[in-house]
Amino acid sequence: MQTVTSADGTTIAYDRVGAGTAGTVILIGGAFSHREFPSMVALAQALADDYDLTVLNYDRRGRGDSADSPGVYDVANEIADIAALVEAAGGQAALFGWSSGAALALLAAQAVPGVSSVVAFEPPFVVDPKDHVPPKDLADKLHPMIAAGKRNKTVRYYMTKVMGMPWLMVGVMRVTPYWKKLAATSNSTAHDWAVMRPYMRGQQLQAEDWAGVKVPVLVLAGEHTAPLLTKGAKAAVEVLPDAEFAELPGVSHDPKIPILAPAVGEFLTRAR
């Protein structure tokens, strides 16, 4: 494990995987994800082994071994975290983002010098009012839960109210060993919501909000993912200046790394 210090003094932990000559990519997880999440570990190793990339796999603030800024949930801080990682990479790096991490990667590409390209896997933009739209007062309820240390309640609330998961499905997850890992990262969901709040309103994305993404972007969605996520991915391509879309066969929002890694690795090495 290595660390960098973000602009506000927060310590961000990361693993450096590989020492390739094809460039560096920073992996940005989504809600409840962290750098030891099995899919992130497997993706990092595959990109290093098969595509000669150096991979920085980090814990977003508030999860894993990274510190947090309790009560302060500002997207600018998470973008500054990425800027510190790009600096640690030597001043240039590509970004891979998954779910809310994909949206964060696109936002960072507008603000961080040295971002060379972006792969955005299923950014959860809600662009159709007929789909699940989180309540407007979500932060007013989420933040007090986190402040009170109600981790289990926070997981349930975020999964049902933001992610739109059925209560029954969440209830089944509650009795699995995996639930403890979700609860351990639950406080960080306020950071996810800070990223996604403007883009989950059931409204079309606006091109002017994304005009600053000047680098090549690949937006991915799985063949078997929720239609809401596919709509969001295709909507992103329509407003980004230099973007392409690809659908991954046999993949859902929980990706199969042997299918995801080639799409990511081939794009990043081609874009470079």
Side-chain angles (χ1 to χ4, degrees):
M1 187 186 78
Q2 297 174 268
T3 63
V4 294
T5 302
S6 193
D8 68 344
T10 300
T11 300
I12 303 299
Y14 69 98
D15 293 326
R16 188 185 298 266
V17 183
T21 61
T24 299
V25 58
I26 299 168
L27 306 188
I28 309 173
F32 304 108
S33 178
H34 52 94
R35 81 179 200 283
E36 294 183 356
F37 195 76
S39 293
M40 300 298 277
V41 173
L43 178 60
Q45 199 64 58
L47 293 176
D49 291 346
D50 299 338
Y51 295 92
D52 198 29
L53 289 161
T54 301
V55 185
L56 303 189
N57 182 19
Y58 82 106
D59 285 324
R60 286 172 60 184
R61 60 174 58 206
R63 59 190 88 187
D65 291 304
S66 289
D68 200 3
S69 50
V72 179
Y73 309 113
D74 188 336
V75 180
N77 286 336
E78 286 218 89
I79 291 174
D81 300 344
I82 293 170
L85 289 161
V86 171
E87 184 177 352
Q92 186 175 57
L95 305 178
F96 166 84
W98 175 10
S99 197
S100 65
L104 178 57
L106 293 172
L107 292 169
Q110 301 190 86
V112 178
V115 173
S116 57
S117 58
V118 175
V119 178
F121 178 64
E122 297 192 352
F125 298 133
V126 180
V127 297
D128 188 341
K130 296 179 183 178
D131 290 325
H132 174 78
V133 176
K136 293 180 179 180
D137 65 345
L138 188 135
D140 296 335
K141 296 182 179 179
L142 178 66
H143 293 181
M145 285 182 201
I146 292 172
K150 298 179 179 179
R151 290 182 176 269
N152 291 330
K153 190 173 182 179
T154 298
V155 176
R156 291 194 298 268
Y157 186 75
Y158 199 87
M159 284 188 162
T160 56
K161 297 299 184 181
V162 177
M163 301 170 70
M165 293 177 62
W167 279 100
L168 180 58
M169 182 181 296
V170 176
V172 171
M173 293 176 68
R174 178 70 178 85
V175 298
T176 67
Y178 182 61
W179 186 266
K180 289 183 179 180
K181 296 181 179 179
L182 296 173
T185 59
S186 62
N187 286 3
S188 65
T189 55
H191 295 295
D192 293 289
W193 182 239
V195 172
M196 295 310 309
R197 183 176 185 173
Y199 311 111
M200 299 186 81
R201 298 173 175 170
Q203 300 173 354
Q204 289 298 312
L205 302 178
Q206 300 301 310
E208 56 267 28
D209 293 338
W210 304 97
V213 184
K214 304 296 187 181
V215 299
V217 177
L218 173 64
V219 183
L220 297 171
E223 176 188 15
H224 298 313
T225 200
L228 177 154
L229 294 171
T230 301
K231 290 179 190 177
K234 291 182 176 180
V237 173
E238 292 177 2
V239 299
L240 290 165
D242 181 10
E244 58 187 272
F245 173 81
E247 184 176 79
L248 300 178
V251 168
S252 66
H253 195 58
D254 184 11
K256 299 176 181 178
I257 300 305
I259 298 174
L260 175 64
V264 176
E266 289 169 15
F267 175 79
L268 293 180
T269 51
R270 169 167 57 91
R272 183 171 182 271

